[in-house]
Amino acid sequence: MNFHVLTLFPDMIRDGMNTSIIGRAIAGGFLDIEAVNIRDYAFNKHQKVDDYPYGGGAGMLMQAEPVYLAYQSVEEKIGYRPRVVFLTPQGKVFNQEMAKDFAREKDLVFLCGHYEGIDERVLEEIVTDYVSIGDYVLTGGELPAMVMMDSISRMVPGVLTNQESGETESFSGNLLEYPQYSRPEIWHGKQVPPVLLSGHHANVDAWRREQSVYRTAKWRPDLLKKADLTNKEWNQIRQWRKEWKASEEKE
């Protein structure tokens, strides 16, 4: 998969994405990340890409033409019109299903804004997806782009050494991941749950499923409405909620 990031700070993208799992995937040819410097397409000797907004207001606005020319360089390189993701608090909030959807693309372009934003006209011209990573404001789109690329990359075949792990982690099936344990069996007086030492795979799977449902019900109940739960699991959730409520009342 090929990521193309339109940015004013290409080194930030290169330095942030060339380590750990993503760096290994790039070295292995499973991913390619191109940082396109928007300043290279400025039409003045000082590589200035911003100007005052019409109508007044605080701050500066990124101009349309340098952004468009940077995008065009990518389109001409790959030979077709790709999806373009604009990182903005006004977009849909990024989630695991979106990561899976984006991972099906051969090429994906990220547009990183700065200052007070980008001229609306170029957004209308090139952007296909408006995406946010949360309800807060950052200084630019580079960090959100890196967050999304990391998440999307995990869905690309060959990126993870154990491909199954990309499907069984948190948010798979709209449930949080179950707790996990490693050696030693006892640490600081805390023992690994006996079921995990039993060697009985069906029991282990059942315990992990129950723990995922429990954690989701307690920490992220908003996810439950999209989860595929049995009647037995819903009844168990109701019982847990009664217990949690009784415990809170005692406190």
Side-chain angles (χ1 to χ4, degrees), residues 1-4 22 25-34 78 80 82-85 94 98-110 145 148-159:
M1 182 173 189
N2 305 307
F3 294 119
H4 311 268
I22 305 303
I26 293 171
F30 300 105
L31 297 175
D32 183 73
I33 299 178
E34 176 192 23
I78 64 178
Y80 72 98
R83 288 176 77 172
V84 178
V85 178
F94 185 62
M98 292 171 70
K100 292 179 181 179
D101 178 40
F102 286 130
R104 299 185 183 101
E105 302 295 324
K106 179 181 177 182
D107 294 271
L108 193 61
V109 178
F110 291 94
M148 288 185 62
M149 285 189 285
D150 186 286
S151 178
I152 294 166
S153 295
R154 300 176 71 83
M155 300 293 107
V156 176
V159 169

Side-chain angles (χ1 to χ4, degrees), residues 8 38-39 42-44 47-68 86-88 90 111-124 139:
L8 297 178
I38 296 172
R39 292 189 191 278
F43 38 86
N44 58 78
Q47 292 187 305
K48 188 173 182 291
V49 298
D50 62 318
D51 208 335
Y52 294 102
Y54 283 118
M60 305 288 279
L61 199 66
M62 289 176 63
Q63 296 170 293
E65 187 67 4
V67 172
Y68 183 70
F86 178 46
L87 292 313
T88 170
Q90 301 176 40
L111 173 57
C112 303
H114 259 274
Y115 310 120
E116 290 302 309
I118 300 177
D119 190 307
E120 186 69 20
R121 292 168 295 183
V122 72
L123 301 180
E124 294 172 351
T139 56

